[in-house]
């Protein structure tokens, strides 16, 4: 299948949901990427990261050297502001310049519920058809979103997915294991 930039993807993408890291110190909110890679890197696993402005300036050459193969980048906040993540452009360029496959995520929350079409179109306008081998991911973690129920979340997902797929992008759901097990509709 070709994306809107004419790139052809021949790889299937399989996401394995991992249980929480057992040997992580509960009082520490970070887990060194080198430790994670050492523990999980194998022929069966491809290591990737997600990033946003919260990580600050990233040394993408160092990320590549560490063994990371892909990155999911925060691109846009929800529909209320359609604000682009402050580090998105630098992070996208860092991925491209270092041979790291990018995808993007969009944070979905209360304002997104009211105008999913406007939200999706605003993201596509900003992306301007750029290559995203790993597509667009819908970031589901908002408490407000959780309260609307599985059926409404499913309906929102289809609205976004139809718009993004029509523009030539793959679409995925980006959530934690609790959401996957308890909030995301089984149809998805």
């Amino acid at each position: 299948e070709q994306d809107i930039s004419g790139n052809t993807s021949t790889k299937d993408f399989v996401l394995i949901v991992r249980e929480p890291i057992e040997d992580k110190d509960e009082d520490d909110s970070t887990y060194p990427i080198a430790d994670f890679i050492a523990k999980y890197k194998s022929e069966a696993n491809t290591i990737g990261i997600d990033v946003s402005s919260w990580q600050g300036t990233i040394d993408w050459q160092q990320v590549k050297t560490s063994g990371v193969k892909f990155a999911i980048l925060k691109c846009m906040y929800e529909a209320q502001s359609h604000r682009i993540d402050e580090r998105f452009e630098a992070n996208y360029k860092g991925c491209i310049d270092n041979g790291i496959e990018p995808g993007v995520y969009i944070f979905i929350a209360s304002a997104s519920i009211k105008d999913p079409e406007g939200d999706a179109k605003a993201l596509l306008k900003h992306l301007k058809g750029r290559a995203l081998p790993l597509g667009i991911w819908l970031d589901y973690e908002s408490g407000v979103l959780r309260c609307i129920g599985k059926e409404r979340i499913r309906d929102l997902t289809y609205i976004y997915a139809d718009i993004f797929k029509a523009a030539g992008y793959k679409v995925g759901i980006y959530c934690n294991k609790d959401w996957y097990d308890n909030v995301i509709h089984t149809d998805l």
Side-chain angles (χ1 to χ4, degrees):
E1 181 177 330
Q2 281 193 337
D3 68 13
I4 58 177
S5 300
N7 300 310
T8 302
S9 175
T10 58
K11 296 186 288 186
D12 288 330
F13 184 81
V14 177
L15 178 64
I16 299 171
V17 179
R18 298 267 184 213
E19 295 297 325
I21 298 170
E22 296 160 8
D23 59 347
K24 182 179 177 287
D25 180 353
E26 293 300 322
D27 295 329
D28 183 9
S29 63
T30 65
Y31 190 83
I33 188 73
D35 294 348
F36 181 85
I37 291 171
K39 184 171 183 171
Y40 292 104
K41 188 175 180 181
S42 71
E43 289 296 319
N45 294 331
T46 303
I47 304 295
I49 58 174
D50 76 276
V51 300
S52 71
S53 58
W54 288 101
Q55 281 73 47
T57 301
I58 296 171
D59 181 340
W60 286 99
Q61 178 60 49
Q62 182 179 7
V63 170
K64 175 70 173 181
T65 302
S66 75
V68 169
K69 302 293 184 196
F70 70 91
I72 308 299
L73 316 173
K74 183 173 189 179
C75 184
M76 195 173 84
Y77 295 83
E78 67 168 321
Q80 184 174 3
S81 68
H82 291 159
R83 192 173 95 230
I84 302 304
D85 184 82
E86 294 80 0
R87 298 292 310 157
F88 173 71
E89 293 299 338
N91 288 336
Y92 182 82
K93 182 178 184 328
C95 284
I96 297 303
D97 290 351
N98 288 282
I100 298 170
E101 290 188 308
V104 301
Y105 70 92
I106 176 175
F107 183 73
I108 308 295
S110 58
S112 306
I113 297 166
K114 297 174 188 146
D115 187 17
E117 293 90 354
D119 213 17
K121 290 175 184 175
L123 178 62
L124 291 174
K125 182 179 178 184
H126 181 73
L127 291 174
K128 300 175 186 162
R130 71 182 82 202
L132 293 173
L134 297 180
I136 300 172
W137 296 80
L138 308 174
D139 180 2
Y140 290 157
E141 60 183 300
S142 165
V144 171
L145 189 64
R146 186 180 188 116
C147 293
I148 68 171
K150 291 182 178 186
E151 288 76 18
R152 183 67 178 124
I153 291 171
R154 179 196 56 209
D155 295 346
L156 280 171
T157 302
Y158 287 142
I159 291 168
Y160 281 98
D162 288 346
I163 293 169
F164 294 148
K165 285 180 179 179
Y169 291 106
K170 295 175 187 174
V171 180
I173 296 172
Y174 183 83
C175 65
N176 63 37
K177 189 169 182 337
D178 172 60
W179 273 70
Y180 182 79
D181 289 342
N182 301 305
V183 182
I184 303 301
H185 199 284
T186 56
D187 289 355
L188 300 172

